[in-house]
Amino acid sequence: MPRAITLRSDFTASDLRRLARLSKDAPQARRPLALAAIYDGGKRTEAACLGNVTLQIVRSNVYV
């Protein structure tokens, strides 16, 4: 099983939202939006909904 990644300190939630706006691919745009929700202190459930993935994927891939 892959290890969870830690959140980067060189990006902010607003940076990730800007990157999502610039994306032309909807699935690609949802990933930074999901991470932005976590950076803002949101729940992982909310991030999973935004990213259109299951909660287990968020739990196993992002270490907060």
Side-chain angles (χ1 to χ4, degrees):
M1 179 180 206
R3 290 184 8 195
I5 60 169
T6 57
L7 294 177
R8 293 175 54 162
S9 61
D10 57 340
F11 280 102
T12 63
S14 60
D15 292 335
L16 291 170
R17 287 190 184 91
R18 181 181 49 81
L19 290 171
R21 279 193 304 273
L22 295 174
S23 177
K24 304 282 188 222
D25 183 31
Q28 184 181 12
R30 285 191 296 263
R31 291 181 189 101
L33 287 175
L35 287 173
I38 293 172
Y39 273 76
D40 281 340
K43 297 186 182 289
R44 292 179 182 168
T45 305
E46 177 186 344
C49 289
L50 287 171
N52 198 28
V53 295
T54 64
L55 181 58
Q56 185 59 43
I57 288 175
V58 174
R59 282 184 185 151
S60 63
N61 289 310
V62 178
Y63 174 74
V64 181

